[in-house]
Amino acid sequence: MSVKERKERERAARERLIVAAARELAEQQGWDAVTTRRLAELIEYSQPVLYSHFRGKREIIGAVALEGAAELAAAVRAATADVDGPRERVAALARAYLDFAERNPAVYDAIFQLDGGLAYAQEDTPEPLKDAFAALMENLAEAAGDGIDPGLFTEVVWASLHGIATLTRAKRLLPEYAEQRVELLVDRLPVL
């Protein structure tokens, strides 16, 4: 292995370490606790080393969002892979999405709530974000019904799930109705 390859591998490892430390700190103490100073202390590198990877917290949030979007896509696909029937797939998708949001609140915030400097719903949207949306649409397109754009339908269902996830986390919804919300959402879709 060349010196250049080794340095690139070490750089990638440091970047993964920074992102992992930011995720862990955010999950434990919230995003307000994530500062370059704290991250530098956690990973035992200087702040200039962090700045050689990320220009600041915003870019770190963006990196966490991209990693989280890939994980969300994988979770949705895993949950729906062996499920037969559109109704059952949509229910599995909804549960996987809400479970991801509950288990990874700081990552969920990085993807959907915080400014990570990422473009959404545009041509230059990063691939992990596009793929997370594609994972939803793969399972929702059939449920859209005739004459309804699958992308638009996916946006509406996604917005519903996001609302449920956000309101549940803010303790604005009664926890005992969690499963009934999924069933109600699925039961009201046009072709299911």
Side-chain angles (χ1 to χ4, degrees):
M1 172 180 309
S2 73
V3 171
K4 182 181 177 187
E5 290 172 332
R6 181 183 53 78
K7 287 185 181 230
E8 287 174 3
R9 191 180 67 218
E10 289 171 354
R11 180 174 175 75
R14 271 194 315 272
E15 194 164 298
R16 285 190 305 274
L17 181 63
I18 294 166
V19 171
R23 282 181 72 154
E24 184 176 335
L25 185 57
E27 292 293 0
Q28 291 174 355
Q29 298 178 30
W31 277 104
D32 287 342
V34 178
T35 64
T36 54
R37 181 180 308 262
R38 296 229 16 227
L39 288 175
E41 290 170 7
L42 281 172
I43 66 170
E44 299 176 345
Y45 281 99
S46 67
Q47 282 184 286
V49 170
L50 263 76
Y51 286 117
S52 74
H53 291 274
F54 300 101
R55 285 183 283 189
K57 182 176 177 177
R58 182 179 187 219
E59 285 189 5
I60 293 169
I61 290 169
V64 170
L66 293 176
E67 191 174 270
E71 292 169 7
L72 175 59
V76 166
R77 287 186 175 114
T80 58
D82 297 324
V83 179
D84 291 324
R87 182 187 193 292
E88 292 76 14
R89 270 194 304 285
V90 173
L93 174 149
R95 288 183 192 101
Y97 184 96
L98 295 171
D99 182 59
F100 180 88
E102 182 182 348
R103 286 184 297 108
N104 306 283
V107 172
Y108 189 83
D109 284 351
I111 301 168
F112 298 116
Q113 303 286 96
L114 301 175
D115 178 10
L118 304 173
Y120 286 79
Q122 299 174 22
E123 280 191 36
D124 61 340
T125 297
E127 199 54 44
L129 298 177
K130 288 180 181 179
D131 190 51
F133 186 79
L136 298 175
M137 194 159 71
E138 289 163 11
N139 291 287
L140 291 168
E142 186 178 358
D146 293 334
I148 299 175
D149 178 82
L152 177 60
F153 183 76
T154 300
E155 287 178 348
V156 171
V157 174
W158 169 34
S160 298
L161 292 172
H162 176 70
I164 292 169
T166 303
L167 291 169
T168 298
R169 188 160 134 217
K171 299 188 184 333
R172 302 287 199 271
L173 300 176
L174 296 171
E176 60 266 24
Y177 293 132
E179 183 57 29
Q180 287 135 318
R181 280 185 203 97
V182 170
E183 294 299 322
L184 182 61
L185 177 66
V186 171
D187 286 343
R188 297 298 180 242
L189 296 178
V191 298
L192 298 179

